[in-house]
Amino acid sequence: MPQPRVTREGLPASADAPGTGARRTSTAASGRPGTSETFGDPWRHGTSGASAASGGFGGPGNPGAPGTRGGLGAPSAPAGPGGPGVRDTAGSRGVPAARTPSAHPAPSASPRPAIQRASVRGQILDALRAALVAGELAPGEVYSAPALGESFGVSATPVREAMQQLAVEGAVEVVPNRGFRVVERGARELAELAEIRGLIEAPVMLRLARTLPADDWEDLRPLAEETARAAAVGCRATYAEADRAFHRALLALAGNEQLVRIADDLHRRAQWPLGGSPTARARLELMADAAQHLALLDALSAQDLSAVEALLREHFVSM
């Protein structure tokens, strides 16, 4: 399955160029050879050398490190007979000790380098979602994280994390010791998702149609026109993004962030292709769907509630 390469921007300067396949072997503290890792993978636990000394993982303040200051487990000075901070001197018991500069002052907090792994994982997740919508990841097939990572030019770890997120969303299921299987989805499941979306979105839009001025709806017209352009191209993945952006903007007018998140999650799940038929919706069907967006804006601007309700019913049923 051909996949776009993921950009490495934001990664540490020591990261290798994508796809070079350069590898190194890490050594555990016990001296035994560790597992091999791909250069440029910033999500490795623990550091060594200069990075540890600069305040990173395992640096100053590490619990239990003898002789260090400022960290958990650092030994405390013994208290004299007069209590903490009192020095026992001849003829002057209980006299506070003179304060002298410490030979080893506590290290100042230094900013840790920003970890950019989320950007890599996010790019992989977006690419996998697009591949699901486009049918490039076939329903029923099992894909391994190392194989997908090689095609993306990254290690298997961010791919595995992205696949685990897709498993939470119900797009794939974990196959022990093999990888992830793309879930086969039928028309009934998509119809159920469309029904739930209609129950959530339609009442909100009808309520907004009664209160919002026409200018608020006209501000969304560029997004509706973008869905029409994406439909004309015929790319399901491109249309899916434009479609969800338009519906998010509509619902955002209600001012309920939780509503937008829930509806967007349902919308994303409804965009996955039918099992065994990844190109079920052809270009003409996408264009008809986009045309309903433009007609819906016209009805909302005119506060034509009957037309709004009819268009929403048709829009969700025809998905």
Side-chain angles (χ1 to χ4, degrees):
M1 174 190 70
Q3 294 289 343
R5 289 196 172 272
V6 176
T7 61
R8 310 289 293 191
E9 63 177 286
L11 293 180
S14 62
D16 60 301
T20 58
R23 303 183 70 82
R24 66 185 177 191
T25 301
S26 61
T27 304
S30 62
R32 294 190 299 270
T35 57
S36 59
E37 62 183 24
T38 304
F39 274 79
D41 184 358
W43 202 245
R44 303 292 300 176
H45 294 292
T47 55
S48 61
S51 59
S54 63
F57 294 124
N62 193 23
T68 59
R69 292 178 177 267
L72 298 176
S76 60
V86 177
R87 184 173 53 185
D88 183 13
T89 58
S92 59
R93 293 184 180 273
V95 178
R99 297 182 180 274
T100 57
S102 173
H104 301 283
S108 59
S110 58
R112 293 180 177 176
I115 298 176
Q116 299 293 332
R117 179 174 183 78
S119 63
V120 177
R121 180 180 56 187
Q123 292 178 66
I124 296 295
L125 182 58
D126 290 342
L128 291 175
R129 283 171 171 166
L132 280 170
V133 174
E136 295 174 2
L137 294 178
E141 294 294 327
V142 177
Y143 297 89
S144 70
L148 289 173
E150 184 176 355
S151 67
F152 282 120
V154 299
S155 67
T157 303
V159 177
R160 187 175 294 109
E161 291 172 349
M163 280 291 197
Q164 289 170 347
Q165 175 60 34
L166 291 176
V168 172
E169 297 174 3
V172 302
E173 57 187 8
V174 178
V175 180
N177 302 321
R178 293 185 60 192
F180 302 85
R181 177 184 290 111
V182 178
V183 174
E184 297 189 47
R185 311 172 69 247
R188 178 175 179 175
E189 182 178 354
L190 293 179
E192 291 172 349
L193 289 171
E195 180 181 4
I196 297 173
R197 286 189 60 209
L199 292 173
I200 293 177
E201 297 188 34
V204 175
M205 293 186 192
L206 287 170
R207 174 168 56 87
L208 293 175
R210 298 185 182 96
T211 57
L212 293 183
D215 290 344
D216 288 355
W217 302 114
E218 287 303 312
D219 290 341
L220 303 184
R221 193 166 293 276
L223 291 175
E225 293 171 346
E226 181 62 28
T227 65
R229 286 190 291 270
V233 174
C235 176
R236 286 180 53 87
T238 302
Y239 182 80
E241 290 297 324
D243 186 24
R244 288 194 1 265
F246 173 73
H247 281 267
R248 280 198 307 267
L250 279 176
L251 294 176
L253 294 175
N256 188 328
E257 295 182 3
Q258 300 303 319
L259 169 70
V260 174
R261 292 178 183 177
I262 293 173
D264 189 58
D265 178 66
L266 291 169
H267 195 171
R268 186 193 302 278
R269 293 172 60 187
Q271 290 174 330
W272 299 334
L274 288 166
S277 180
T279 57
R281 295 177 66 183
R283 180 186 302 180
L284 292 178
E285 293 174 309
L286 295 179
M287 294 178 67
D289 191 74
Q292 291 173 357
H293 293 160
L294 293 167
L296 179 61
L297 283 183
D298 292 338
L300 289 168
S301 298
Q303 293 187 332
D304 188 343
L305 301 185
S306 297
V308 170
E309 188 173 6
L311 282 167
L312 289 174
R313 186 182 303 110
E314 180 183 1
H315 189 63
F316 289 120
V317 169
S318 62
M319 292 174 53

